[in-house]
Structure formats: C-alpha cells, structure tokens
Amino acid sequence: MVHSQRILDTGWTLSCARPVGAPNLPQSIPAKVPGTVHTDLLAARLIPNPYLDLNEIAVDWVGRCDWRYELAFDWHDQSAGTVELVCPGLDTFAQLVLNGAIIGETANMNREYRFDLGGLLRDGANTLSILFESAWTRGEALAKQYEPRPNNYPGPANLMRKMACNFGWDWGPTLVTAGIWKPMRIESWSRARIAQLRPEVTLQGAAGKVRIHAEIDGQGEGMSLRASVAGVTATQPIGQGALDLTVPSPQLWWPHGLGSQPLYTLDVELLDESGAVTDSWSRQIGFRSLRLDTSADDVGTAFNFIINDVPVYICGANWIPDDCFLPRVTPERYAARILQAKQANINMLRVWGGGIYETDAFYEACDKAGMLVWQDFLFACAAYPEEGDLPAEIEAEARDNIVRLMPYPSLVLWNGNNENIWGWFDWGWQDVLEGRTWGKGYYLDLLPRLVAELDPTRPYWAGSPYSGTMDIHPNDPAHGCSHVWDVWNDVGYEHYADSVPRFCSEFGWQAPPTWATLTQSVHDQPMTPTSPGVWHHQKATIGNDKLLRGLSGHLPTPTNMDDWHYATQLNQARAIRFGIEHWRSHRGLNMGAIVWQLNDCWPVTSWSAVDGYGRLKPLWYALRAAYHPHLLTIQPRGEELHLFAVNERTLFWRGPVTVKRLRFDGTVLAEWTHWRLCADRLDVASLAIPSHVATPGNPREELLVATMHDSVAHHWFAEDVELDLPEARADLSITRDDADWLVTVTAHSLLKDLCLFVDRIHPEASVDDMLVTLLPGETRTLRVQCAVELNAAMLCQTPVFRCANQLR
C-alpha cells in the first residue's frame, strides 16, 4: 500500500477541563486547528484582545486552566497496515485518548510525536480527545522535582520544553498558551516507510554533492531508494549505506546581494521489488559551501562566515516569534517580514533561543530571499537541569529539528544557547547552583555531538556570547561572538565606540512602536509615557527611565507625548546606526553585527525595527542606511577624522570623493576632493580628512558632508543639545503617481533627520524614506502610500512633519 495521510484540521471543539479562575464558559466552543486556546476564545468572544490596553492581565486565567480538544471523525480504511497519529506540534503537556483508550502523552512543544493507533480505530465513528495540562501546574510539580535553578525571567520555562518567552520577557507579555499549534494527521502505511531522511549537500570543486542518509521504518529488505536532483538520478538497495549523487557544475546559492538563489528539487522515493513507489520525500535544496572561521590571530579569535569561499560581512537582526499565538504567523506573513528584513539590507536572521524552531515556511522564505539563518537551540537566559526526563526530551527535540532543517541552504549555524554560558560566568549562578547542573553538558557535549552526527556540513557554536573556550570569558570582544548590552543598560550610545568586537550577535536600543500601532493598542486618555496602557506595554525593567537617560547629552528632554515619541524613536535609530557604522569601519577585525531585534510579537515599546503590527519604525530606515552595501562614513581615528568607504559588493567601488565643511546656512567653509578613492570588493578603504576641513571654526553651527557617487555621509561636531539648529523651514508639494503620492520637500533651512509620520494621517499609510537631512536649497521626493487624499497642509504640520530642529 502507498503511504497516505489524512489531515485532522476540521471539526474540533474546545472545552475547559479545569477552570482555575475562569468565568462562566460554554460547555464547548468550536476550535481551529492549528490554533491555540487563546485564539479560539477570542473567536468566540469569550476573552478581550490581550494585546489591547491591560487585557493581558485580565486573561491570565487562560494559561492556568486545563483544556480539552475533541474531534469526532469517521474511519473506514480497515485495510491499512500501520496507522499512526502524527503530532508535529502539541503545546505542551498533553494526554491523547482515542475511543476511551490512552494512546500517549507529550511534554515538548518543539518535537514531533507519533502514536500507533493499531487496534484502537473503529470502522465508522471515532472520538479523539487531547487534554492539555496547564504549563503553570506542571511547572509547580517540576519545581519540586528539580532543585532551584537561576532564571532571568519568572516562570518555569527552564524546567520544560516550551517556548520560554510564553512566560513573559522584557519585550513580551505573559500569555501561556496551550493547543494544537501545527497540523495533525493520521498516516497509513504498510511494510515500510521513510522514517528519516538527511541530505548532506556540499561542493567538491565545481561539482555539487548530495549524500542521502535514510532510515526506514518497517521491513525494508529488498526495497530500494531512488533519488533525483538537477537531472541526476541514482538508485540503491536499502541497507547499503548512503546514496550519493553528483551534480556537475550546479549554480551556487548565495546570500542576497552577492548572487542569486537557485534551488533544486531533491526527490527521494522508496521502491518495492516491482519498482512501485511506496513512500516519497521532496525538498528544495541549494548548493553552497560553508565554514565558520574561528582561527586565532594577533588580536584574538575570529568569527567569520565563509560562503562559497567568500568572507561575508553579516548585517544581521535577531528574530523572535512574530506573534504570541504562533499559528497566526502564516507563510505570507513570514514572507512579508523577511522581505522587510531584506529591504533593510539585512542578510542574516538569528532565530533566538527563547522562541521556537520556526515552521518550514520561515526557512523556505529565507532560502528564496537569500537570507542567512543562524539557528539557536532553545535555551535562553536560565540554568537548565541535566537530570530527570529533560535530557531525553532535549535530545529528541534536537534530533527532530536538526533533521527537519538541514535541507535548507539558508541555515548556516547551529548555536547552543542564548547567554547561558555568560550567565554562569557573570550572573551569580555559581554560588546559587552550588555545583548543580546548569546546561553545560548540553552546550559542550550533547548538542555538538548531535550536530556532528546528523548535520556535519554545518558549524556548531556553543553559545551567544561565547569565546570558543571556557578558559576565556564568554563575552570577551576579542574572541568569538559578543553581546553589547552595557551601552543600553548603563551608559550612552556613544560608548559603542569603546570597543570593536570580532562579531556582535546582540546589541540594541529601545523605542516605542509607531504611533498608529500605539494608538491601536492603547486607549489611555490622556496618553502619556507613563499612562497605564503605555506603561503596561513597556516590559523592560525601568525601560522608560533608560529611554530618557539615553537622550541625555544627545537630545533635549521631551516635555509632551508627541516629542517623547519622536525623540525616543530618533534616538534609537541614531544609536544603532552609530554602533553599526563604527564596527563596519573596522571591517576585517569585526565581521558582523546582529541587532536586537527585527520584529515584535505584539504591540510594545521594544528594541524592534518592525513593530508588533508590522509597521516600520525609524530604526528600520536607519538599518537600511547603516547596512547599505556601499557605506560612506566619517569616523575618528585618534585625533583625526577619517573617511571610510565600506564595500560589500563583488565589484570594486571607486570614484572621486568630496568632503565639505559647511555652516548650517549652506555656506561652504572648506572643501577637499580626493579624485580616486578605491575600495576593493568586500573590503574597506579610508582616507584621513585634512585638518583644515576637519577642524570646525564654530562646532555649534557647522557640519561635514562627504559625497561619493550617490553615497552621502554627514558628520556633526557636537550633539543636538549643543547645536544651534535653525528653525525648520520647508515647502512641500504633492503630485500623484498612479496609486502613490509623491511628496517633494524643498528645504529653506537645514533640516536634520526629517521624518513624515504619515501613519498619523491614516494607520496604513507608509513612506519610502525617513531620517533625511537636507541643506538649504536641497530637495527630496518621498513616495507615500496612503488610502486617503493628501494635501500639503496635512503633511507640513507637527506631529506629521518632524525633524530634530523642532526638539528644543
């Protein structure tokens, strides 16, 4: 019999099995699968939207109840050999009952379970029931089983295999979910099936190599495996080892910006003795070489991704779950968010260890977009026991996901954990643990062994941050990958310039979401930075205090809500751009920056560039500029100012460069042209700016402007609080261009960091550029998408029209 399957996605009901603190509820309600308890209750209008105002607190009871999903279905295929219930995503502690008989239990939302239904299925009507125990309840039992382990956040996430940020984070709400979050199915097969298939895809010279390792369930003797890719086919009897295919001169898969992303369909079939196909497997793969250079040098230890023998500078962003309710993140939403990353010149997303292994749709979209993926194993900011049932669950989870994700060419790193090795060194864990386990065995033994066994083509790194050895501090900037959080937490963003990490895999700065998102989710009257709803949507400890402290020395202290919103968003954008440009000017020593974070899971004040409703904050535009493949930036080197041309293209970048020192009224005070600045491909070039240009007469009213082709760099001799910025004066004109509006801004004074916040006019309006600096007489045309009629009077009014000149 050919392998067949039936998706169980309709006809489910949901009921409360243990109503802890619950209001009166109907006996049952319709359930959507895949889905969550929260989203079903929302659809039934039994709870308020937890993303609005303070409703998160009002729905806390949902996570403390037990819940039952039930499905009545008919079954008539009694000729099937083996019949299994396949559960790729049950969240988290579940007991499954078919027709009154327990068929199995689960304790891990991150792995697939299979349950044999043999002898339990009836011809005709059947009932499947899944009882989900509250993770809070199970957490109480686990806390009694395990001695205390440090955890940076409330909740028992480190004692179980559930998405850690479900229990709240410094950007996320506490919404403890339960439910069937991935599609369930019944699979039927006879004799044998492909249980596991691992394709190792490599390059050998110009040839592409595919080595296929297959595990077969059942009686595979006498059967064969047939594989084909790119017109090459090979067949081999089961039991004779790996099946190899050689593809002559395939097109290479590249990160975007360096080449194209050709994908080849790899088809694998299980054949019986007659040649009939009894099971099959198909994925798209890409051919590329990969290594992580961690060699020692005169400074310390490198951390450099080499793709197709090319050292790639990583312009990255950290990725968190895009919604607290995971099934709401559709393939279309993944593709849209990854496109936003790509358009910001981001070439790597780090899937952070406090979330999930994303669904296949995420990695498929990354493959197509040329977006590199750094994948954390799911450990974050806590000590994890290495006793009891946890190690077996962790191994099963790791095996499952390594095998599932290894076909994707975008995946370039397996990382052991987020900040746990750092925590053991610096966060007082050693005294608290008193010799108890904390996860070291996972990061330094189990996980590297599993990667070496299952996916030897990819590098493994034990943690982020990690120096490469327990003999060197994990956050030593001279070694491996580092996190830079003292800047946001303790000092001003100018301190990004204090060091040059070999690779910075986390750093960030906070700001509120867009105005449209803020007002869509918070309805305080009046709305202030500390009004109840705004305050509730700020999850970081003393986060608002840090926002204001971060303005000190840079921007004036805001005195109203509109100024607070703009100033903090502007400061976030400037802080991150400052750090990235500093590090990129040291290209070679530093080979990557991964900002915290690209996205949000709900509407919140956070470190994101794209807010919880998918809208772009000013930071997104700053990232697009700071990560541009042709970056022109002015940076200090000792007592001098230098101009740096950073080139991430595969062709050299050369041309005349002009640096002018100007007064804010546009008067040229000094000028210098170098007629042939040349930055080699994937390299950086620099020039010292002559002192007569680089030295201001009056730093309060002068700036430097450097131009090279279409690239422009500005350098200010003082912070805004010390600048004599003029009153902002400009004219705006508007014309139609098909469905868009073209807004031409003509500056009559210096305009510093001009933004048009068109979402103040219509919540779905957007603009193609922000943070634009114009000199007197210069113009810039901005493209606006807006569903309502626009006019200049709308656009020129504060708070739609904003620039730094207005902050006083």
Side-chain angles (χ1 to χ4, degrees), residues 138 246 745:
R138 182 64 67 93
T246 299
V745 181

Side-chain angles (χ1 to χ4, degrees), residues 294-619:
T294 58
S295 58
D297 55 27
D298 292 341
V299 176
T301 307
F303 196 89
N304 188 359
F305 289 90
I306 313 294
I307 312 291
N308 299 329
D309 295 324
V310 173
V312 177
Y313 188 93
I314 298 303
C315 299
N318 281 271
W319 172 276
I320 65 170
D322 204 52
D323 202 296
C324 296
F325 307 125
L326 300 174
R328 298 205 295 203
V329 188
T330 62
E332 294 76 19
R333 183 160 156 183
Y334 277 127
R337 200 68 72 243
I338 290 163
L339 178 61
Q340 288 173 321
K342 183 175 180 177
Q343 289 174 336
N345 295 311
I346 290 166
N347 63 10
M348 175 180 278
L349 294 175
R350 175 189 168 213
V351 182
W352 168 75
I356 60 171
Y357 306 99
E358 293 292 340
T359 66
D360 290 312
F362 171 85
Y363 304 94
E364 289 167 0
C366 288
D367 282 354
K368 293 174 183 177
M371 184 66 64
L372 300 172
V373 176
W374 161 323
Q375 178 67 56
D376 280 13
F377 287 102
L378 302 187
F379 305 89
C381 300
Y384 288 75
E386 298 176 44
E387 299 80 34
D389 296 332
L390 207 55
E393 279 297 337
I394 287 168
E395 178 167 352
E397 166 192 314
R399 286 183 176 276
D400 195 3
N401 286 283
I402 291 169
V403 171
R404 178 173 69 92
L405 300 184
M406 65 183 293
Y408 297 109
S410 54
L411 178 59
V412 295
L413 184 71
W414 293 104
N415 175 60
N417 73 87
N418 177 75
E419 297 190 342
N420 292 348
I421 297 175
W422 187 16
W424 187 81
F425 269 79
D426 280 1
W427 299 348
W429 289 10
Q430 296 180 41
D431 292 338
V432 174
L433 287 167
E434 297 179 332
R436 292 190 292 274
T437 59
W438 54 276
K440 179 182 178 182
Y442 302 138
Y443 318 135
L444 300 184
D445 179 21
L446 175 65
L447 296 175
R449 280 195 290 107
L450 293 178
V451 172
E453 172 194 342
L454 299 171
D455 190 13
T457 69
R458 283 188 180 83
Y460 170 84
W461 196 247
S464 182
Y466 186 57
S467 62
T469 171
M470 295 295 283
D471 296 329
I472 298 174
H473 191 278
N475 209 28
D476 186 329
H479 299 272
C481 59
S482 306
H483 289 191
V484 179
W485 281 116
D486 57 338
V487 175
W488 158 254
N489 285 313
D490 302 319
V491 293
Y493 70 73
E494 66 275 10
H495 288 278
Y496 281 128
D498 291 350
S499 67
V500 182
R502 304 308 299 269
F503 191 103
C504 186
S505 46
E506 266 194 36
F507 68 106
W509 202 270
Q510 262 204 352
T514 61
W515 188 257
T517 292
L518 186 61
T519 54
Q520 186 177 337
S521 54
V522 175
H523 304 95
D524 298 340
Q525 294 295 333
M527 184 180 292
T528 72
T530 56
S531 59
V534 177
W535 186 263
H536 186 73
H537 288 246
Q538 161 63 281
K539 294 296 186 178
T541 303
I542 61 170
N544 275 11
D545 293 345
K546 292 178 181 179
L547 283 174
L548 291 179
R549 188 196 65 218
L551 297 174
S552 178
H554 298 283
L555 291 167
T557 301
T559 58
N560 59 63
M561 184 64 182
D562 288 335
D563 281 359
W564 177 84
H565 188 262
Y566 172 57
T568 53
Q569 286 197 330
L570 174 61
N571 209 46
Q572 178 193 39
R574 286 188 182 176
I576 297 306
R577 184 167 183 177
F578 178 88
I580 291 172
E581 292 196 7
H582 162 65
W583 292 330
R584 287 191 68 188
S585 75
H586 291 273
R587 191 198 193 281
L589 180 60
N590 168 266
M591 284 302 293
I594 305 183
V595 68
W596 186 272
Q597 63 215 62
L598 175 71
N599 59 326
D600 273 324
C601 62
W602 78 311
V604 63
T605 294
S606 83
W607 296 263
S608 72
V610 180
D611 73 23
Y613 291 157
R615 299 185 177 106
L616 306 181
K617 294 159 68 170
L619 172 59

Side-chain angles (χ1 to χ4, degrees), residues 274-301:
S274 70
V277 177
T278 63
D279 198 2
S280 62
W281 178 101
S282 184
R283 297 287 189 280
Q284 287 194 306
I285 63 171
F287 292 95
R288 52 110 183 94
S289 67
L290 165 67
R291 64 186 176 91
L292 180 65
D293 177 15
T294 58
S295 58
D297 55 27
D298 292 341
V299 176
T301 307

Side-chain angles (χ1 to χ4, degrees), residues 32-53:
K32 184 177 180 181
V33 172
T36 71
V37 170
H38 286 82
T39 49
D40 289 333
L41 294 171
L42 272 170
R45 299 186 178 183
L46 294 172
I47 61 170
N49 187 339
Y51 288 6
L52 304 186
D53 301 311

Side-chain angles (χ1 to χ4, degrees), residues 59-70:
V59 303
D60 185 67
W61 61 269
V62 176
R64 300 184 183 276
C65 296
D66 296 346
W67 298 92
R68 179 177 286 108
Y69 283 76
E70 288 191 336

